[in-house]
Amino acid sequence: MTLQIDPLNLFIAAVWLVNGFYCKVLGAVPRHRAIVARILGEAHAGLITLAIGFAEICMTLWIVSGIQSRFSAVTQIVIIAAMNILEYFLARDLLLWGRANACIALLFIILIYYRQFAY
């Protein structure tokens, strides 16, 4: 195990941690649950949002651990792209920055790619 503690990696991990723990597990940003409800249905939106939050916390630990870091980066890129495509078409009105969310997601994907493959 090689800890990945450079500033870029810590920033990427922090984004996952804040979104997972603060926004979803603690429920501090209700918009996240509303997006899940819109896409997957209201019935289990709270539980699914909580599960997604815990998965994002696990992603944080995976990033910092350095275990299979290239696979981690590819996984992050696929998850971010899929999540943002779904949100763009199914819940755009609930996104913090609306259509600009896609641009921010693309910049984050580029940062992850740069950190892992070009840094």
Side-chain angles (χ1 to χ4, degrees):
M1 178 170 78
T2 305
L3 290 181
Q4 301 289 320
I5 56 173
D6 65 86
L8 279 180
N9 219 49
L10 289 178
F11 174 76
I12 292 166
V15 169
W16 286 101
L17 182 62
V18 167
N19 276 284
F21 182 67
Y22 179 74
C23 296
K24 294 180 182 80
V25 172
L26 294 180
V29 183
R31 179 175 36 79
H32 287 267
R33 186 194 175 286
I35 292 168
V36 171
R38 170 84 55 87
I39 295 170
L40 298 175
E42 184 63 44
H44 302 290
L47 184 60
I48 293 169
T49 303
L50 195 61
I52 292 168
F54 281 115
E56 290 178 338
I57 293 167
C58 290
M59 182 66 77
T60 302
L61 298 173
W62 187 13
I63 293 164
V64 175
S65 77
I67 296 170
Q68 295 187 6
S69 59
R70 288 182 177 232
F71 182 58
S72 170
V74 171
T75 301
Q76 291 174 70
I77 289 167
V78 169
I79 289 170
I80 294 165
M83 175 185 66
N84 278 276
I85 289 167
L86 284 170
E87 291 172 348
Y88 185 83
F89 289 107
L90 301 175
R92 186 179 319 144
D93 59 309
L94 297 173
L95 298 176
L96 183 60
W97 295 295
R99 293 178 182 205
N101 256 54
C103 296
I104 294 164
L106 180 60
L107 290 173
F108 193 52
I109 286 171
I110 291 168
L111 178 66
I112 292 167
Y113 179 87
Y114 171 76
R115 165 56 187 89
Q116 190 54 54
F117 299 101
Y119 187 62

